[in-house]
Amino acid sequence: MAESLRFHYDVDGGNFTSAGQASVQVKNNLSQLGLDPAVIRRVSIAMYEGEINMVIHADGGSADIIVDDSCVTIILADKGPGIADVEQAMQDGFSTAPDNIRSLGFGAGMGLPNMKRYTDFMQIDSVVGEGTTITMKVNF
Amino acid sequence: MTVSELASAGGFRAIALSDPSREVAGCYVGDLLSWVMGRAQAGNAWITIMSNVNVAAVASLADVACVIFAEGVQPDEQALAAAQMRGVNLIAADMPEYEAAVALSGLI
Ligand SMILES: Nc1ncnc2c1ncn2[C@@H]1O[C@H](COP(=O)(O)OP(=O)(O)OP(=O)(O)O)[C@@H](O)[C@H]1O
Ligand SMILES: [Mg+2]
C-alpha cells in the first residue's frame, strides 16, 4: 500500500439500536482489504468498545480509521463530558453507566481495559467539559 | 463440529443459521457484553441469556461461531434482523446456561 487508507464515521449518541454500526463497517472494510482476521478482530473489539462508550457516555462522536503498511490507527473523538480521572476509568470494573444501560448488558467497566488489552498503543486525551479523544494503534 | 450439527443435537435448535458450516471451537458463557468482548475467543459458542440487538454486534465483532440463547430466551426482532444481516448464527436451548455448556462440552 503506497498511500494510507482512511475511513470516517459519525457515531450517533444514545442510539443503542444502531450502536456498533461503525465498527461493523470497519470490520467489513478491513476484511475486503484482506487483512489478517486476528488483526481485524483486535481492531473490531477495540473500536466497538470505544464506539459504545461514545454512544453511552458522550452523546456520540466521530471515528477515523487509518490503515497504512503496518498498522491500523483508530481515532475516536467526542464532545462529551470528558473523563475526570482517567486512571480510575481504566480500572477493571469501574463504571458510571446508569441502570437502563446496564440492563442491556453494558456497564461492566471492562470496555477501556479491553481497548488497552487488544491494541499495541492507546492514548486518552480528555478534558472535563470539553470532550475525549482516544487514539489506538494495532500493528500487523 | 459445525454449527448446523450443533443446532440439530439434542436440546438445541436452530433459530437462524447464516453460516451453518462454521466450526465450533470451545465455549464462553457470559451476559455482560464487555466481558464477552474481552474474553471470548474467535470460534467459541457463546452461551447467554441476553437477547437485545447489541448481542448481534458483539457476536459479529468478537467473531464467535454462534450465539446460544439459554433458558428458552428468544432474541427480539431487531436482534434477529441484525444477526442475519451480519452472518451471525443463532441457536436456542431451553436449558440453563450451565446445562447448555455441559451439553455442548459432550458434543465438541
Ligand atoms: N468517551 C467517554 N466520555 C466520557 N466518559 C467516558 C468515556 N468513555 C468512558 N468513560 C467513563 O469511563 C468509565 C469506564 O469505561 P468502560 O468502557 O471501561 O466501562 P463502561 O462503559 O462503564 O462499561 P462496559 O464498557 O464494560 O460496558 C465509564 O463508565 C465512564 O464513566
Ligand atoms: Mg464501555
Side-chain angles (χ1 to χ4, degrees):
Chain A
M1 238 177 286
E3 283 172 39
S4 60
L5 269 170
R6 286 174 164 266
F7 307 105
H8 175 86
Y9 302 91
D10 293 316
V11 176
D12 281 356
N15 185 345
F16 299 101
T17 308
S18 64
Q21 205 93 313
S23 302
V24 169
Q25 281 180 37
V26 166
K27 180 193 171 187
N28 293 343
N29 288 346
L30 297 184
S31 301
Q32 271 167 19
L33 289 176
L35 256 63
D36 176 359
V39 171
I40 295 174
R41 188 170 182 275
R42 291 171 63 205
V43 170
S44 300
I45 291 171
M47 173 154 171
Y48 178 76
E49 294 288 9
E51 181 182 356
I52 291 292
N53 278 353
M54 292 199 298
V55 174
I56 293 177
H57 306 296
D59 199 28
S62 66
D64 285 280
I65 285 68
I66 303 148
V67 186
D68 61 35
D69 283 339
S70 62
C71 161
V72 180
T73 305
I74 307 159
I75 303 166
L76 303 169
D78 68 61
K79 294 187 166 59
I83 303 173
D85 186 341
V86 170
E87 206 181 312
Q88 182 186 44
M90 283 298 300
Q91 280 170 15
D92 286 10
F94 178 83
S95 175
T96 60
D99 284 349
N100 64 319
I101 302 296
R102 287 176 193 264
S103 69
L104 295 172
F106 301 113
M110 292 301 290
L112 289 171
N114 281 346
M115 289 154 75
K116 177 91 187 156
R117 183 184 164 105
Y118 282 98
T119 56
D120 296 299
F121 171 87
M122 175 178 173
Q123 180 179 318
I124 302 178
D125 297 298
S126 191
V127 179
V128 172
E130 286 183 20
T132 302
T133 299
I134 300 185
T135 307
M136 296 179 281
K137 287 179 188 287
V138 174
N139 298 329
F140 57 86
Chain B
M1 115 178 305
T2 65
V3 167
S4 107
E5 287 164 346
L6 171 60
S8 50
F12 299 99
R13 62 183 183 277
I15 298 174
L17 304 184
S18 324
D19 184 12
S21 60
R22 180 92 191 254
E23 203 62 35
V24 180
C27 168
Y28 189 85
V29 183
D31 304 311
L32 295 175
L33 300 177
S34 289
W35 275 98
V36 178
M37 266 301 197
R39 304 298 154 115
Q41 287 170 26
N44 280 177
W46 169 24
I47 302 177
T48 187
I49 52 167
M50 293 305 286
S51 57
N52 65 66
V53 64
N54 300 290
V55 167
V58 169
S60 162
L61 296 166
D63 197 24
V64 297
C66 61
V67 181
I68 300 175
F69 296 107
E71 305 275 14
V73 160
Q74 288 290 322
D76 64 31
E77 245 171 69
Q78 285 176 333
L80 186 60
Q84 286 175 305
M85 208 167 72
R86 286 161 195 173
V88 173
N89 295 310
L90 303 180
I91 291 176
D94 292 327
M95 302 169 268
E97 291 181 317
Y98 168 72
E99 284 171 29
V102 170
L104 182 70
S105 148
L107 293 166
I108 57 176

